[in-house]
Amino acid sequence: MSRVLVTGATGRVAGVIAERLAAEHEVVAVARFSDPGARDRLERVGIECLTADLGTDDLRMVPDDMEILLNFAVSFSGDWDAALAVNAESLGLLVDRLPRLERLLHCSSMGVYAASSHTHDERAP
């Protein structure tokens, strides 16, 4: 049984994955949990839920014995600095915090870019 950390656990993809993994692993979910029903659904299947905004909160609340990290956290705030803090910097901070980490899945979203018809790159808004 592995210790699995799932960020962005209230999302459409991460929530389903966390629930399925909870059947065979110890799962800790991190999310803002603005919808209490989302937290309740995860806790009912045995998932430990931690409320945090990965862009602003102290990540020391995250247990340091996690072996697998599934990162689905994403910010759609429209604020570039806030989005960068959640979508990129928080991942590095989590990895640094987890000395027993063996595996990492990072799921990114193009949803942080402003709508346009041209190709997106690192300079795109």
Side-chain angles (χ1 to χ4, degrees):
M1 181 177 296
S2 296
R3 300 259 303 148
V4 181
L5 176 64
V6 179
T7 65
T10 57
R12 292 180 204 145
V13 175
V16 172
I17 290 173
E19 288 177 19
R20 299 278 167 89
L21 287 171
E24 297 183 25
H25 302 279
E26 294 178 37
V27 177
V28 176
V30 176
R32 288 185 289 267
F33 290 108
S34 52
D35 172 10
R39 181 186 200 106
D40 292 342
R41 278 189 304 278
L42 295 173
E43 287 179 338
R44 272 197 303 269
V45 296
I47 296 173
E48 177 185 350
C49 294
L50 303 175
T51 302
D53 183 321
L54 295 182
T56 59
D57 289 339
D58 185 342
L59 300 178
R60 287 182 287 185
M61 73 172 68
V62 175
D64 65 359
D65 62 346
M66 308 310 296
E67 299 161 306
I68 299 170
L69 169 58
L70 305 178
N71 184 47
F72 292 94
V74 63
S75 170
F76 296 109
S77 71
D79 176 327
W80 174 253
D81 291 332
L84 187 62
V86 172
N87 301 336
E89 293 170 6
S90 66
L91 176 61
L93 294 171
L94 281 171
V95 168
D96 191 48
R97 167 129 184 82
L98 304 174
R100 294 181 52 195
L101 190 65
E102 297 173 2
R103 293 180 218 120
L104 164 68
L105 170 69
H106 174 66
C107 185
S108 186
S109 170
M110 291 293 288
V112 299
Y113 290 106
S116 74
S117 59
H118 71 286
T119 302
H120 294 102
D121 64 20
E122 291 82 9
R123 297 175 304 263

